[in-house]
Every structure is written in structure tokens, then in C-alpha cells.
Amino acid sequence: MIDRLTIFGATGDLTARFLLPGLASLRASGLLSERFQLTGAAREDWDDERFRSWAASQLDHFAGHLPVPVRDAVVSAASYRQADALDPRGIADAVAGEGPVAAYLALPPAVFGGAITALAGSGLPEGSRIVVEKPFGEDLASAAALNRLLAGTMSEQEVFRVDHFLAMTTVQNVLGFRLANRMMEPVWNSSHIASVDIVWDESLALEGRASYYDGVGALKDMVQNHLLQILCLVAMEPPVSLGERDLRDRKVDVLRSVRPLSVNEAAERTRRARYTAGRINGHDIPSYVDEDGVDPGHGTETFTEIQLEIDNWRWLGTRFRIRSGKALGRDHKEVTVRFRDVPHMASGLGVPASNVLRFGLEPESLALELTGVGARVGEMSPLTMTARMTPPGLPPYGHLLYDVLNHNAALSIRGDEAEECWRVVTPVLEAWSSGLVPMEEYPAGSDGPAGRNRSVPAPRSAEAGARVLADQVHDGVDQRQV
Ligand code: NDP
């Protein structure tokens, strides 16, 4: 384990909202060394005291559920350096100290390249690591250029391209549930699975983040990284181990098997849209183009849906759809695996309903929709077994920081993997920039653009007549975290 972390961009939103609370969660779980030191670096003319007082107030706000002594311990381990991440002297000062350091680039993506170049000349001690936030590049060429810079600075094992979705317990559960249950893997293929939908619909609108989001949009912000990573966990071959090499090799296999869309296919199988004025949870939301800091000329989408195929033995014939949108009427964050209908129903058994497996990503849940004996003799009806998972001990950024400090790169993205993710979305970006896919609109607070593909079935509900067995199942079997 290493004891030193320098955060570049330490006065920013990511540090306040996730990195400081992540460190506090490690401290609360006894997973942070007593010798741990945090150096915050940014261009603001602050001193140690000012940074500590800011950090304390952010922890109060974003990690108020943790005990005061735990938060105080993180604050008192902190110091501050005023440094421009593009200035080699400033960088060298911020990482100076005894022993290896983890240099966390919580910076605007436009600064990553310059900061890596400056870090390369800073004389990082042996065993140090560089942590790079998302988005890793803004297209395939820029991601490849960042990879070349990193390769000239550190070995691949010392580079952490982080994706906090991979540190979410529920996301890891997608792979765990598949591989730890004898009954799942034999049916985990296109002979039995008709479609997989990976959906991250949120009711949150822009929330003042135009400086980051505008010009990036839903495809680069969500699909290119987080949701393709989930696709990898759904579709990968069973790895030999969960070690960094085995896990990442198998993920790269999936990405390489995604059939490249032709520009015409990209036009047919992708959608983009942005929200117009509406209401969400009783609040008026302006049109995206009227949000503070938005330049309508960027043509940024706040909703996207893309349909992919995986050209390999296991998956040819299964439809994979990935969707993400902002300012929608409800949060719906889920992986939905829809099985094919049974080949034959004996007469008298009624109409078959497809089995559906749902991994709820936020809130964390697992639901399996089956068909069983109904309320009336001889009648089959839908049964839903639901498990609501206990929240994990560590938040994703706590888990991710633990891996960085303990040199476990399994859940970070390897350089070739980052480039493969860009390869998958490049034809979509090309089709969009050629104007082949119209920018649609949807009112904030709605279900998304009109005619949105509705084949993601809504979860069954008791009101809809389904027989929900959740409570019985809870009592009997699944009180444990799955
Ligand atoms: P902010 O704009 O809130 O903060 C950026 C930080 O970088 C500030 O501390 C800023 O301080 C500093 N900074 C900017 N330019 C320089 C420079 N040249 N040298 C040194 N410091 C600099 O951004 P976020 O914190 O939101 O995002 C940071 C990174 O994290 C981005 O890559 C983002 O994509 C990623 N991310 C953010 C998430 C979030 O929810 N916020 C979620 C997931 C990823 P100053 O101007 O004083 O130098």
C-alpha cells in the first residue's frame, strides 16, 4: 500500500463530492493507513489552512453520515500546494516527498495531456501511479495520443484510467451472478437471450455543469465509457481469474467483437435528442439550449440510444441496446436481460411470458421474472422474485481509491481497452457529424423523444396483476447481499 495521494484539481467538484468522501469511507472502514498524507493541488492561491477548512465543509456536506473523528482524520492528513498542472515545477513540488505517490488527475480533460507531460519530468519516485479521470480523450485519435504519452512516462501497470461504474457493487454483481450460479451460464447466450438493454435514464438535468457537459454529451459522457464497460461484463467469456490481466483481456475480446456499424447502420440504429423546457418533480427546467453556459452551436445531445451486435459464437443474434438520457421523468438505471420464449407451451398452460432478469443499478436490486402457478387452478401467471441489496460498505470512489493505493488495476481501464471503446462509438460520431441522424427533442420530465423504442419492458408490478414474491423470498433466501 502507498501512503501518499496528490490530487490535481483538488478544489473541484469531483474532489468535493467523491474523492474526499471516498477517503473518509476508507478511513471509517480502517482501510486507510495511519501514515496517509493527502496533498491537494490547484491554481487557487490557497494555503493548508484554507484547503483544510474547505475540505472539512465538503465532508460535512457530502459525507455527513460518517463520524466526525473519521472526517477530521482525513482533513488533518491534508495539505495544499498552489500549482498549475501544466507547470513542471509546480507538479514536481506537489508530488515531492518520501516514497511512491499516487498522482490523481481530477482535472478538466483538456489538461490531461499537459499534466501527464509535466508529471513525466517531475521525477516521480519508483512505484508511483498516475490516475486519470474520464473522459479519456475526446475521440480515438486523442485517446491514442494520451496512451502514447502515458506509455512514455509509466508502465501500463502503474496507470489507472478510472471508471467508477466498475467499482459499483451492483455492476460487479452482473458478472458475479452470471458466474457463481450454475443455472445461469448454460443459458447465457443468443440461443436463450433475445435482448439485453443497458439503460441509464436520469431525472437530473444539467445542474450547472455546462462547462463540462456541453460539447461532450450523453454518448461520450455515459456510453463510451461506463455503459460499454457494463456491456463487457454482461457479454464477456468467463475469465480465469478476476486479476487485472484476465479480466481486462476478456473485456477487450468483447469490445473487439462488437460489429463496427457502417455509417448507414449508425444512422438507422442510433438516436440523439436533447431536452426542451419542462417540469421535473415540481421544478421548472429550462430548455437545454437555454441552460447557463450552453452553446447551442455545439449540438450537444442529452439523450442517446444505440443498438449493437456482438459478432461472436456466443452472441450473434442477440440485440444489445444501450440508452442514456438526462432530464427524464423518472430515474431508470438497469440492465435488462430478456430471455426468448419457451419453444412450446402445452395446451391449457396459457400464453408464455418471457423470463426477464433485471439488475437494478441505482438503487441496487435484482429481479427475476418467471412464470408459475397462478391464483386460479390450472392458470399460469407471472411471478417476480426481487432482492434488494444491502448498500455496500464502500462507495464506488472509496473502492476505487483503495485499489489505486493498493496497486490493484483490475477495475481500471487498460490503454487498448480505452481505444476499443472509442472504436465502437466512432461510426456513431461520424454519422452524427455528417447530419445523418436528426437531433430530436423531448420535454424535460417526459419519457424521452417520441417513439422511443419501447421494447425495454417495464418492471412488472403488483398493481399490474403480477404476483410479487419479494417478501416471501426475502424471508427465506436472500437477506444476504447478493
Ligand atoms: P471542476 O471544474 O469542478 O474542477 C476542476 C479542478 O481542476 C479545479 O480544482 C480547478 O481549480 C483545477 N484546474 C483546472 N485547470 C487546472 C490547471 N491547469 N492546473 C491545476 N489545476 C487546474 O471539474 P470536476 O471536479 O467536476 O471534474 C474533474 C475531472 O473529473 C474531469 O475530468 C471530470 O470529467 C471528471 N469527473 C467528474 C465527475 C463529477 O461528478 N464532478 C464525475 C466523474 C468524473 P483551479 O481552476 O483553481 O486550478
Side-chain angles (χ1 to χ4, degrees):
M1 183 171 193
I2 65 175
D3 302 326
R4 296 200 299 125
L5 173 69
T6 295
I7 301 177
F8 293 98
T11 58
D13 185 66
L14 181 81
T15 305
R17 206 182 277 274
F18 297 115
L19 298 182
L20 290 170
L23 289 170
S25 72
L26 288 182
R27 182 77 195 199
S29 308
L31 296 171
L32 202 60
S33 145
E34 292 292 327
R35 296 185 304 278
F36 176 75
Q37 293 166 32
L38 168 66
T39 305
R43 292 172 304 181
E44 288 277 3
D45 183 13
W46 287 6
D47 57 13
D48 291 349
E49 200 181 325
R50 173 87 194 268
F51 181 60
R52 286 191 194 127
S53 127
W54 178 82
S57 64
Q58 302 309 316
L59 280 168
D60 207 21
H61 189 65
F62 293 112
H65 59 288
L66 295 175
V68 174
V70 161
R71 291 183 265 144
D72 285 350
V74 171
V75 171
S76 53
S79 59
Y80 184 78
R81 296 282 180 286
Q82 183 184 11
D84 188 323
L86 304 175
D87 167 23
R89 272 184 311 173
I91 283 247
D93 181 42
V95 295
E98 267 187 35
V101 60
Y104 199 121
L105 306 188
L107 293 163
V111 187
F112 288 162
I116 294 165
T117 307
L119 268 171
S122 69
L124 282 173
E126 180 85 20
S128 295
R129 286 130 226 200
I130 296 183
V131 188
V132 189
E133 258 300 336
K134 70 146 213 195
F136 188 78
E138 56 186 40
D139 53 21
L140 180 55
S142 57
L146 280 179
N147 274 337
R148 282 193 296 276
L149 273 179
L150 285 164
T153 309
M154 313 284 265
S155 74
E156 179 62 35
Q157 284 68 32
E158 290 163 333
V159 176
F160 287 71
R161 296 169 197 79
V162 296
D163 187 322
H164 71 277
F165 269 48
L166 287 174
M168 289 163 71
T169 313
T170 181
V171 168
Q172 291 167 19
N173 187 42
V174 171
L175 189 60
F177 189 76
R178 270 183 62 186
L179 301 181
N181 292 295
R182 178 80 197 218
M183 61 192 277
M184 292 315 303
E185 200 53 21
V187 294
W188 206 257
N189 54 55
S190 63
S191 303
H192 297 281
I193 293 179
S195 66
V196 175
D197 290 278
I198 300 170
V199 173
W200 190 269
D201 283 353
E202 54 187 356
S203 52
L204 268 185
L206 192 58
E207 307 285 319
R209 298 204 64 222
S211 61
Y212 162 68
Y213 193 83
D214 194 44
V216 174
L219 186 72
K220 291 183 181 178
D221 181 45
M222 289 303 304
V223 176
Q224 182 275 336
N225 36 61
H226 305 315
L227 303 187
L228 282 183
Q229 286 298 322
I230 295 179
L231 174 78
C232 288
L233 298 186
V234 171
M236 73 199 288
E237 292 302 314
V240 174
S241 76
L242 296 187
E244 53 97 3
R245 178 174 165 193
D246 292 326
L247 196 62
R248 302 195 293 184
D249 280 353
R250 297 291 77 79
K251 285 198 286 163
V252 169
D253 287 346
V254 173
L255 293 165
R256 284 169 47 75
S257 308
V258 173
R259 175 164 356 131
L261 294 174
S262 68
V263 171
N264 284 339
E265 283 171 334
E268 282 165 14
R269 297 180 190 184
T270 72
R271 297 183 75 177
R272 57 175 173 153
R274 69 183 165 208
Y275 63 85
T276 54
R279 267 178 91 72
I280 301 177
N281 297 331
H283 296 288
D284 287 330
I285 306 290
S287 251
Y288 177 76
V289 293
D290 295 329
E291 295 266 21
D292 277 349
V294 166
D295 176 354
H298 286 150
T300 306
E301 81 287 355
T302 57
F303 173 100
T304 186
E305 183 171 279
I306 70 175
Q307 194 173 312
L308 299 170
E309 280 173 63
I310 297 182
D311 263 353
N312 64 21
W313 188 291
R314 188 189 280 263
W315 290 118
L316 196 63
T318 297
R319 195 205 56 220
F320 289 86
R321 196 170 51 226
I322 303 181
R323 187 178 81 217
S324 181
K326 271 190 179 304
L328 294 164
R330 66 174 181 127
D331 288 310
H332 176 206
K333 300 165 181 176
E334 185 178 87
V335 177
T336 312
V337 179
R338 173 179 268 262
F339 290 85
R340 297 190 190 283
D341 290 345
V342 292
H344 174 251
M345 285 283 273
S347 105
L349 272 185
V351 182
S354 338
N355 298 146
V356 180
L357 177 61
R358 298 173 185 281
F359 296 93
L361 301 175
E362 204 180 77
E364 305 188 330
S365 65
L366 182 69
L368 179 59
E369 295 175 7
L370 300 167
T371 301
V373 177
R376 272 181 284 179
V377 178
E379 190 182 83
M380 304 299 283
S381 64
L383 310 172
T384 302
M385 294 195 263
T386 308
R388 280 176 198 87
M389 267 88 92
T390 316
L394 286 180
Y397 270 93
H399 190 157
L400 181 161
L401 286 162
Y402 180 77
D403 281 354
V404 166
L405 297 174
N406 288 281
H407 209 170
N408 178 8
L411 296 181
S412 76
I413 314 294
R414 205 167 59 194
D416 55 339
E417 200 182 341
E419 291 183 30
E420 287 298 335
C421 286
W422 280 113
R423 188 190 61 74
V424 170
V425 299
T426 296
V428 184
L429 293 169
E430 286 172 358
W432 290 5
S433 66
S434 332
L436 288 171
V437 180
M439 178 71 82
E440 300 173 67
E441 293 190 330
Y442 59 98
S446 71
D447 261 2
R452 189 186 78 174
N453 196 328
R454 294 192 184 274
S455 63
V456 186
R460 286 175 185 164
S461 67
E463 295 77 31
R467 188 169 160 215
V468 178
L469 294 185
D471 295 339
Q472 293 93 314
V473 173
H474 262 271
D475 289 345
V477 190
D478 67 348
Q479 292 291 4
R480 289 157 294 140
Q481 182 178 333
V482 182

